[in-house]
Each structure stands twice: as structure tokens, then as C-alpha cells.
Amino acid sequence: METLIVLLFSLAIVLLIISFFGKDKVAKLEEDLEQMTLTYMQDIYQLKKKVKVLEEAFVIQDAPVPSVQDQSTVTSNDIEPIHEILKSQVLSLYSQGLTLDQIARQSSLTKEQTISVIEQQRLRGE
């Protein structure tokens, strides 16, 4: 009986020592997850930088000189030119399906200016 207790106690000590030197699979999994998260964050950061550069290039591009058709859609409220950022905001809101009144309110333009921006884009797209 005593030998059995000594044997079990010895086995417990051996298993305890093995557990200290054994590889921790959870720590390895956490490290892999952290590395993967960092990699994805770097990728997202690089993609955001590229999108920002593309957006800036899109905004910087000069609008083509309006043709005779384009000038017919210009109203007396459009005498002051509309900034390219506002134009892209109007087009983005229009593509999301908002009404002209909602777009005009959000972009701080008149309804006529909003219509003019959308019509100019339609004429350019054709």
C-alpha cells in the first residue's frame, strides 16, 4: 500500500515537471492570432492609404469644359462654381438612393444645384 502511494506521488511529480516543460498550445494559438491580426491591420491600413490617394486623384482631376448641352442645365443659382468634393458627395448620396431634397439638405446646396450636378455627371457618363 505504501509503495502504491509513493508510486502515485512520484507519478504526480513527474507529470507536474512535464507540464512545466511541455509546449503551451493556447499560448501558441494566441500568438498566431495576434500575428494574423497585426497582418490584417497592416493590410487594411495600406488599403486605406491607397483608397485615399485614389480619392484625392479623383477629386484633383479637372472637370472637362462643359459643352453646349451642359451649359443649358446651368441655372442662375449655379453662377458660383461647386467644389469637387461637394459634387462627389452629391453623386455618392444620389447613388445611395436619397431624394433630391435630402441630398440638397446634406450637401448644403440648393435643389437646382443638386440637379445640375447630377445632370452634368449623366452627360459626362454618356
Side-chain angles (χ1 to χ4, degrees):
M1 181 68 134
E2 291 176 15
T3 57
L4 183 62
I5 293 174
V6 171
L7 182 64
L8 287 175
F9 188 67
S10 304
L11 182 62
I13 292 174
V14 168
L15 289 175
L16 183 65
I17 292 171
I18 290 174
S19 69
F20 282 121
F21 293 111
K23 292 184 179 180
D24 189 10
K25 293 180 182 180
V26 174
K28 172 88 169 96
L29 185 62
E30 287 176 351
E31 184 181 321
D32 289 346
L33 182 62
E34 184 178 336
Q35 183 65 32
M36 187 173 62
T37 303
L38 288 174
T39 303
Y40 284 133
M41 288 178 70
Q42 288 173 347
D43 289 345
I44 289 171
Y45 175 73
Q46 289 174 353
L47 286 173
K48 283 183 179 181
K49 279 178 41 180
K50 288 179 181 178
V51 166
K52 185 176 180 179
V53 167
L54 288 173
E55 285 176 346
E56 289 174 357
F58 178 72
V59 170
I60 290 175
Q61 288 178 350
D62 293 332
V65 176
S67 65
V68 175
Q69 284 181 327
D70 290 346
Q71 291 175 355
S72 66
T73 61
V74 176
T75 64
S76 62
N77 294 335
D78 290 324
I79 293 173
E80 189 173 315
I82 301 170
H83 197 277
E84 289 296 320
I85 293 174
L86 277 176
K87 287 181 182 180
S88 30
Q89 179 188 14
V90 167
L91 296 173
S92 174
L93 293 172
Y94 181 74
S95 69
Q96 293 174 13
L98 272 68
T99 65
L100 293 176
D101 291 325
Q102 291 172 327
I103 296 171
R105 254 184 275 122
Q106 288 188 14
S107 63
S108 70
L109 296 173
T110 65
K111 189 173 179 178
E112 291 78 20
Q113 288 173 320
T114 305
I115 293 170
S116 173
V117 169
I118 294 169
E119 288 299 320
Q120 287 175 1
Q121 180 61 30
R122 281 188 188 159
L123 292 173
R124 272 190 236 147
E126 292 179 358

